[in-house]
Amino acid sequence: MKILVVNAGSSSLKYQLINMEDESTIAQGLVERIGIEGGKLTQKVKGEKRVLQKDLKDHLEAVGMMIAALTDKEFGVISSMDEIGAVGHRVLHGGEKFTESVVINDTVMDAIRENIPLGPLHNPANLMGIKACQEVMPNTPMVAVFDTAFHQTMPPKSFLYGVPIDYYKRLHVRRYGFHGTSHRYVSKRAAELLGRPIEELRLVTCHLGNGSSMAAVQYGKCVDTSMGLTPLEGVLMGTRSGSLDPAVLQFIMNHDHLDINQMLDILNKKSGFLGISGISSDMRDVEEAAAEGHEYSQIAIDMLYQGIKKYIAAYAAVMGGVDAVIFTAGIGENGYELREGVLEGMEFLGIKLDREKNKVRGKEAEISAPDSKVKVLVVPTNEEIVIARDTLELVGQA
Ligand code: AMP
């Protein structure tokens, strides 16, 4: 069966067509500037790139353009859209309703809609992507795979905030966690690489990209994670502050006469690497500036290293030990300087890095020293394959 994986954002739509017989990628693409002038589709097939330009009014037109590109006589990869056996959609927020992936029906659509207050930027876009695909492919089964689902195994002591319990009972205010599909993929893959059943492993997974989150995965289940009600909590990120004393908000808002939306905008879009360094949200730019002696770029990097260190040690404590630490996503997979910086001085926990083996970028590798009690792995994430596998499992083999 060929499965189409779709990740719809507010003005973009990423897609990947996967042949489930060998899990190979047949084509992948990106539709950009939906609803904005200058619509554009980029499709890659076996390393060859095609760019099409056309203004796109909405997600329906974007999906139409995606199908046209996939079925194009000259550079397409399928003869008709009937070859697509099912569509797997990435959905940001499943709230407490979804602990795993589900076949999409009207009830599921309503539940995704109900969770819009928890994922105000992403859930509406995800819904638009699903609706557009349903309209274009009315007979194709569709599956929703939630970013929050993997973290639903957390116990209340991990997911509750220390506020009156009424806010949880009435408004479902709690830690949900994100990047669940990635944490699930890398933890399972790490167990395979280590040749041990996941049911006996205590893992700390570090998803470090433009957005970053950490997770404690004990015996295959998430028991704690760093992101919270929204993806703002946790370690320092590209433009997001990560955790801070909530009283900071009141102090700044009173002083600078800001309302809560302006404040949240600062915490989400103007903080993190960008805010501290004043240079960029991108790790490579910040590293370059730090190497040239820019003080606050170096401090931003040090803050991130320290933040990750603290989570590793904290999660080891939560799980009563740690068997492996796994690095993934843009910075985690590529930034060997970061891995070295983070793990320096962590021998007390039984973590010893092999500095030479660590010099890999974007490849699966074991990078711990042979005598390290705790294994350290680089595992490039592959959320699309998880979405495709879940979709296949739910719609049945073909
Ligand atoms: P992602 O959100 O997973 O695409 O990750 C984006 C982040 O990965 C950005 O901060 C990039 O600077 C960072 N990144 C990508 N390649 C490298 C690299 N070679 N070294 C350090 N950071 C990198």
Side-chain angles (χ1 to χ4, degrees), residues 207-211 281-284 287 329-331 334-335 337 361:
H207 178 109
L208 309 170
N210 198 24
S281 64
D282 193 290
M283 181 64 161
R284 284 164 293 192
E287 277 177 346
I331 306 175
N334 299 298
E337 300 88 345
R361 291 194 196 272

Side-chain angles (χ1 to χ4, degrees), residues 147 150-151 153-154 175-187 202-208 212-218 220-227 234-235 308 311-316 318-319 321-322 324-328:
D147 248 34
F150 181 62
H151 302 301
T153 48
M154 282 190 288
R175 173 186 310 289
Y176 287 95
F178 299 87
H179 300 135
T181 314
S182 176
H183 289 290
R184 172 151 69 110
Y185 173 80
V186 299
S187 52
R202 295 158 302 179
L203 308 171
V204 177
T205 49
C206 318
H207 178 109
L208 309 170
S212 298
S213 68
M214 309 280 298
V217 183
Q218 186 171 15
K221 292 200 161 73
C222 175
V223 292
D224 208 349
T225 192
S226 62
M227 280 182 166
V235 292
I308 300 168
Y311 273 107
I312 294 174
Y315 288 166
V318 165
M319 296 187 288
V322 53
V325 177
I326 298 122
F327 288 90
T328 194

Side-chain angles (χ1 to χ4, degrees), residues 111-324:
I112 299 174
R113 204 169 294 118
E114 273 166 35
N115 283 320
I116 288 179
L118 294 171
L121 299 179
H122 296 85
N123 274 32
N126 300 151
L127 275 172
M128 284 193 281
I130 297 172
K131 274 198 225 143
C133 287
Q134 284 175 330
E135 213 165 313
V136 174
M137 297 173 265
N139 301 318
T140 311
M142 313 236 167
V143 166
V145 179
F146 301 93
D147 248 34
T148 48
F150 181 62
H151 302 301
Q152 278 296 308
T153 48
M154 282 190 288
K157 65 181 175 186
S158 298
F159 73 65
L160 283 179
Y161 292 119
V163 295
I165 198 66
D166 175 56
Y167 292 116
Y168 170 62
K169 292 189 176 162
R170 190 163 49 89
L171 302 175
H172 309 288
V173 171
R174 52 161 286 174
R175 173 186 310 289
Y176 287 95
F178 299 87
H179 300 135
T181 314
S182 176
H183 289 290
R184 172 151 69 110
Y185 173 80
V186 299
S187 52
K188 188 162 169 258
R189 187 72 193 126
E192 284 166 11
L193 292 170
L194 294 170
R196 291 180 61 187
I198 197 162
E199 293 76 18
E200 58 183 51
L201 290 170
R202 295 158 302 179
L203 308 171
V204 177
T205 49
C206 318
H207 178 109
L208 309 170
N210 198 24
S212 298
S213 68
M214 309 280 298
V217 183
Q218 186 171 15
Y219 313 138
K221 292 200 161 73
C222 175
V223 292
D224 208 349
T225 192
S226 62
M227 280 182 166
L229 176 78
T230 75
L232 183 55
E233 198 182 349
V235 292
L236 193 76
M237 302 177 220
T239 61
R240 285 172 248 167
S241 62
S243 303
L244 45 68
D245 178 351
V248 167
L249 277 70
Q250 185 196 34
F251 189 87
I252 296 177
M253 287 164 71
N254 284 345
H255 201 274
D256 281 0
H257 309 293
L258 301 180
D259 66 29
I260 190 68
N261 293 324
Q262 291 169 313
M263 188 70 243
L264 262 283
D265 201 58
I266 292 171
L267 296 181
N268 272 307
K269 298 186 187 149
K270 297 181 182 138
S271 299
F273 272 1
L274 178 65
I276 299 288
S277 72
I279 297 271
S280 168
S281 64
D282 193 290
M283 181 64 161
R284 284 164 293 192
D285 299 340
V286 178
E287 277 177 346
E288 220 175 279
E292 285 163 11
H294 187 261
E295 186 188 359
Y296 279 96
S297 291
Q298 189 56 54
I299 292 174
I301 292 171
D302 292 344
M303 285 170 73
L304 176 63
Y305 289 5
Q306 175 151 310
I308 300 168
K309 256 180 201 291
K310 285 184 181 175
Y311 273 107
I312 294 174
Y315 288 166
V318 165
M319 296 187 288
V322 53
D323 299 296

